[in-house]
Amino acid sequence: MNQTDPLMRRPAFHFTPQRNWMNDPNGLVYDRGLWHLYYQYNPEGPDWGNMSWGHATSTDLQHWTEHPVALPHREGEQIFSGSIVASASDVGPLLTAYYTSAYDDGHQAQSRANSTDGGFTWETDPSNPILDRNTSAFRDPKVIRYADAGGELRWIMLAVEADDRQVLFYSSTDLHTWEYQSAFGPLGVDGVVWECPDLVALPVDGDPDTIRWVLLISTNPVGEDADPEGSSMSYLIGDFDGTTFTADSSELTRLDHGRDFYAGVTFDNAPAGEKVMMAWMSNWSYAREIPSAPWRGAMSLPRRLSLRTIGGSPRLIQQPPKFIQEQLLAADPAARMSLAQPIHMTLSGHSLMELQWDPNTTGQLRLTLQGDAESEVVIEHSPATGALRVTRQGAAVQAVHAAFPSTSTVALDVLAPVRLLLSLDGPLLELFINDGEATAANLVLLGSGPVTARFAAELPGHVSVLLQDVRESETPARPSLPGRSPVRL
Ligand code: FRU
């Protein structure tokens, strides 16, 4: 199908490919003023297959430019997910991509490609695959930097044995030779595969002397009675000594409470050491049934990661990118409204909304979003339970797939004030709750026109609302000076 589907208006401040199928973000790297996003892509059609790495770049994480396919599939081999690192070599700045070669004979192994022109053209390594266990679900290499106590730098590669629910760790000093270090897992529920791991070092409460390591894992239910909730991301906080990851607890913590946040990984080499994560906003249980328009698949907003102590232990905090904050700051302060009774507002559908309320004075609060499609989104907060629920429902939602109608629940502190940042960009709804303490990303089908937001509170307490329709701004030019130079290894 090549027409625009009225249910799938194209997002304005998220990346979608011009056409065809997209899933996981791959090879996220910042290099000399450009954020590079590669992604699982079928250059030939709207369904999963012919997997290749598509490519887009941005100077500000808001506006994206799509480029020709970077790593095309070839005879007998698809190019599955992986990562890129920026380094310096004798020939100048170097980008090295690690990806999974998924061979037609069913075996999966890790391969490598180099780019010396800033990520636009790639040469695959003649000795590929460079890491092969002769197994069928060894995939998704993510290479990170590690400095030991003496300041010595090394590269660490994580890759999953997906069916075994294990992350394997390898180490290298030259990006060529990889030595096996250890395995982490299995743990958590079975009946899932582990995919797209990442390991992120973050200071606790901004203190550079208290670094903890966060292992990110995407899990996807498989088998006959696969959980209809489908794909989701989780994390574990722990320590990493360059060889072994040790988790504080054996319980996976849900990373995002919506249905559509999967395969999230972070950018290598981001300025100021920031950890910025992007994910695919879909779910394997129905991704293939989402109307194509003629694109199928969108990336989430990039999220800035940190750790904050809450109730005595560190929690992963996910905040929206700076341009979102800037858009809200640019909103006319007079536009901040205080509502004490049911009210309607009209949104363009490419909008941000900041809401604050005290459940002690509002009681139950409900916000309903409705456009010109036969469906609605209901966001409801219950003071008695602290539950914030996001429900997508209606005929258009049911028509997609049996698993598509859904309610996602975020558990908040009972009776505590709530601060909610809502980002709606066409079919992409992302909630950031209490300054990033919890998030929920969901695909929604609100149609192609404006969206009505209806508020209703149980009691006459006030709700503060700031609405900002995201304006199209000029794409900022790429800085003429090279950005932070890559670490030389
Ligand atoms: C995750 C995933 C990866 C794999 C890729 C294939 O969504 O299944 O494990 O590399 O997608 O497209």
Side-chain angles (χ1 to χ4, degrees):
M1 181 168 43
N2 259 358
Q3 298 91 15
T4 297
D5 188 297
L7 288 175
M8 297 303 286
R9 77 203 277 185
R10 194 183 283 279
F13 52 96
H14 288 73
F15 178 72
T16 49
Q18 277 310 307
R19 53 183 57 248
N20 295 335
W21 170 277
M22 174 177 81
N23 55 290
D24 314 357
N26 295 152
L28 302 181
V29 63
Y30 178 85
D31 181 43
R32 291 168 288 161
L34 278 185
W35 298 89
H36 290 267
L37 160 67
Y38 300 81
Y39 45 88
Q40 285 290 280
Y41 188 54
N42 179 357
E44 284 131 65
D47 299 310
W48 187 89
N50 307 313
M51 294 321 290
S52 302
W53 279 24
H55 183 205
T57 55
S58 172
T59 54
D60 60 359
L61 294 173
Q62 178 180 357
H63 304 88
W64 293 93
T65 307
E66 190 173 337
H67 303 289
V69 168
L71 292 169
H73 68 96
R74 55 184 110 193
E75 192 61 42
E77 179 188 359
Q78 297 189 78
I79 314 292
F80 275 15
S81 288
S83 57
I84 291 178
V85 287
S87 67
S89 73
D90 299 342
V91 292
L94 178 71
L95 294 179
T96 309
Y98 293 90
Y99 59 87
T100 299
S101 294
Y103 299 104
D104 285 359
D105 67 5
H107 120 257
Q108 299 184 352
Q110 313 327 320
S111 291
R112 198 172 93 116
N114 286 321
S115 172
T116 50
D117 70 350
F120 294 94
T121 59
W122 292 88
E123 245 171 68
T124 51
D125 192 323
S127 55
N128 282 337
I130 51 134
L131 208 52
D132 190 355
R133 306 178 81 228
N134 279 308
T135 52
S136 59
F138 178 40
R139 60 175 179 264
D140 306 342
K142 172 69 174 151
V143 176
I144 62 160
R145 298 149 195 267
Y146 179 81
D148 66 22
E152 194 90 355
L153 283 169
R154 272 185 290 143
W155 303 103
I156 303 292
M157 182 193 290
L158 291 74
V160 288
E161 273 292 354
D163 299 341
D164 301 342
R165 293 181 292 130
Q166 281 196 316
V167 179
L168 308 188
F169 291 84
Y170 295 82
S171 160
S172 173
T173 50
D174 59 4
L175 292 173
H176 279 268
T177 322
W178 294 92
E179 246 178 63
Y180 175 78
Q181 303 295 310
S182 65
F184 179 82
L187 52 79
V189 292
D190 55 16
V192 300
V193 287
W194 283 15
E195 300 184 313
C196 301
D198 196 355
L199 183 64
V200 187
L202 291 170
V204 179
D205 301 320
D207 173 6
D209 293 331
T210 319
I211 301 290
R212 303 305 317 278
W213 290 83
V214 184
L215 183 66
L216 309 177
I217 300 171
S218 290
T219 63
N220 191 41
V222 287
E224 291 210 341
D225 298 317
D227 182 347
E229 285 210 11
S231 326
S232 66
M233 280 191 73
S234 294
Y235 70 91
L236 288 148
I237 299 181
D239 282 318
F240 181 65
D241 61 6
T243 303
T244 309
F245 175 77
T246 314
D248 290 353
S249 130
S250 58
E251 280 203 16
L252 295 172
T253 304
R254 179 86 179 227
L255 182 138
D256 183 281
H257 298 275
R259 287 287 169 84
D260 300 293
F261 196 85
Y262 196 64
V265 282
T266 57
F267 282 85
D268 178 54
N269 200 36
E274 263 204 320
K275 305 295 180 207
V276 180
M277 172 177 66
M278 259 174 129
W280 173 46
M281 271 192 72
S282 196
N283 188 314
W284 281 116
S285 39
Y286 45 71
R288 299 166 181 90
E289 314 295 333
I290 297 294
S292 83
W295 55 279
R296 188 183 264 154
M299 289 303 165
S300 70
L301 282 175
R303 297 181 177 181
R304 295 179 293 132
L305 304 183
S306 58
L307 288 175
R308 189 183 299 158
T309 305
I310 296 172
S313 45
R315 184 175 320 167
L316 187 66
I317 303 297
Q318 304 171 67
Q319 283 170 315
K322 294 208 179 84
F323 78 84
I324 294 285
Q325 313 286 20
E326 284 161 12
Q327 292 269 349
L328 282 167
L329 284 172
D332 182 355
R336 189 175 285 282
M337 280 179 281
S338 187
L339 313 175
Q341 47 196 311
I343 192 168
H344 293 199
M345 294 168 83
T346 305
L347 283 57
S348 71
H350 301 286
S351 314
L352 304 173
M353 222 191 240
E354 201 179 57
L355 308 172
Q356 288 177 51
W357 71 95
D358 181 350
N360 293 289
T361 65
T362 60
Q364 176 134 335
L365 183 74
R366 176 188 293 204
L367 166 62
T368 308
L369 303 175
Q370 200 159 29
D372 57 20
E374 275 184 78
S375 82
E376 62 177 10
V377 175
V378 181
I379 301 170
E380 197 168 35
H381 179 253
S382 154
T385 62
L388 182 87
R389 289 203 180 80
V390 186
T391 302
R392 59 182 175 205
Q393 58 193 22
V397 168
Q398 284 163 18
V400 170
H401 186 273
F404 195 58
S406 71
T407 297
S408 5
T409 306
V410 187
L412 303 178
D413 285 347
V414 175
L415 289 177
V418 184
R419 211 176 131 102
L420 174 65
L421 172 60
L422 178 156
S423 163
L424 176 69
D425 190 14
L428 311 178
L429 175 68
E430 287 153 288
L431 305 184
F432 295 86
I433 301 144
N434 294 339
D435 296 316
E437 280 177 23
T439 57
N442 283 292
L443 280 174
V444 296
L445 301 180
L446 296 173
S448 49
V451 170
T452 303
R454 262 189 349 256
F455 290 89
E458 184 188 5
L459 305 172
H462 283 241
V463 182
S464 149
V465 182
L466 182 66
L467 170 64
Q468 173 77 324
D469 280 325
V470 173
R471 287 165 311 202
E472 250 325 293
S473 57
E474 289 287 299
T475 307
R478 182 179 179 185
S480 51
L481 287 174
R484 205 170 75 111
S485 22
V487 179
R488 178 177 272 277
L489 276 183

